[in-house]
Amino acid sequence: MRCPFCAHDDSQVKDSRPTEDNTSIRRRRQCSSCGARFTTFERVQLREVTIVKSGDRREAFDRSKLEQSVSLACRKRDVSQERIDQLVSGIQRQVETAGESEFASSRLGEMVMDGLRELDSVAYIRFASVYRDFSEARDFEEFASSVQEVAEGDSDSSGVGNG
């Protein structure tokens, strides 16, 4: 494994353990050249999946891009990295177990929206603003109103308020 600090190609595993959700292995490594320590994660990849984007562009599914998008939407929100990892792992599992070698980016975007709706309403609106390409403040207002109506409907039906 290449050292992220000095780019040396050799490192030693000092500690390995499963993550809390048992979807990956966390490894602490030490560079044999500069001595720096860093963490890597090893995950099962069930199959190669190609994401079909608009205009029929294709690119390999990239978990790190998915994680970056979700993390950006959740930035400065009270959402733990563990919950972000669980959401990303769940979406990755759904994509890889769908049984398809090609997966539409629109489906992937909707899966992220569904997950963020459950995780954090502000992160959900942030992601939607980019994903749905909001161009005016009115777009935000209309979408935020629909989110608020759904949230109020949920709290009314459960008998529990957000106060």
Side-chain angles (χ1 to χ4, degrees):
M1 178 67 61
R2 178 169 290 169
C3 174
F5 302 102
C6 72
H8 186 70
D9 284 337
D10 191 31
S11 63
Q12 295 178 331
V13 175
K14 295 297 184 181
D15 180 44
S16 291
R17 64 181 69 164
T19 56
E20 287 187 25
D21 61 359
N22 283 323
T23 60
S24 60
I25 302 291
R26 176 185 184 273
R27 299 195 193 282
R28 285 294 293 161
R29 295 177 172 271
Q30 184 169 8
C31 176
S32 57
S33 177
C34 72
R37 289 185 177 235
F38 56 99
T39 302
T40 60
F41 291 89
E42 181 180 312
R43 292 182 174 82
V44 172
Q45 182 173 348
L46 297 174
R47 65 175 47 174
E48 292 287 327
V49 177
T50 300
I51 302 298
V52 180
K53 304 185 103 170
S54 61
D56 281 340
R57 290 180 301 127
R58 287 168 165 67
E59 64 181 53
F61 173 78
D62 185 350
R63 178 193 166 89
S64 64
K65 283 181 73 172
L66 176 61
E67 187 171 10
Q68 183 179 11
S69 295
V70 172
S71 294
L72 188 58
C74 294
R75 194 169 139 224
K76 295 187 179 181
R77 301 294 302 153
D78 190 23
V79 178
S80 69
Q81 185 61 45
E82 181 182 339
R83 292 188 67 202
I84 291 171
D85 290 342
Q86 288 173 345
L87 173 60
V88 171
S89 292
I91 292 170
Q92 180 180 11
R93 244 187 326 276
Q94 289 177 34
V95 168
E96 290 178 346
T97 59
E100 303 164 21
S101 61
E102 292 188 339
F103 201 88
S105 63
S106 58
R107 270 178 70 196
L108 183 60
E110 291 300 324
M111 292 167 76
V112 173
M113 296 253 307
D114 291 343
L116 286 174
R117 183 183 303 122
E118 299 296 318
L119 197 62
D120 184 86
S121 60
V122 172
Y124 172 58
I125 292 170
R126 283 178 179 166
F127 184 85
S129 71
V130 174
Y131 177 67
R132 297 230 171 117
D133 196 22
F134 292 173
S135 57
E136 299 178 9
R138 185 175 2 166
D139 297 335
F140 271 102
E141 290 173 23
E142 291 171 5
F143 189 78
S145 296
S146 70
V147 170
Q148 188 173 4
E149 288 168 9
V150 169
E152 288 171 356
D154 288 347
S155 66
D156 289 347
S157 64
S158 69
V160 177
N162 289 339

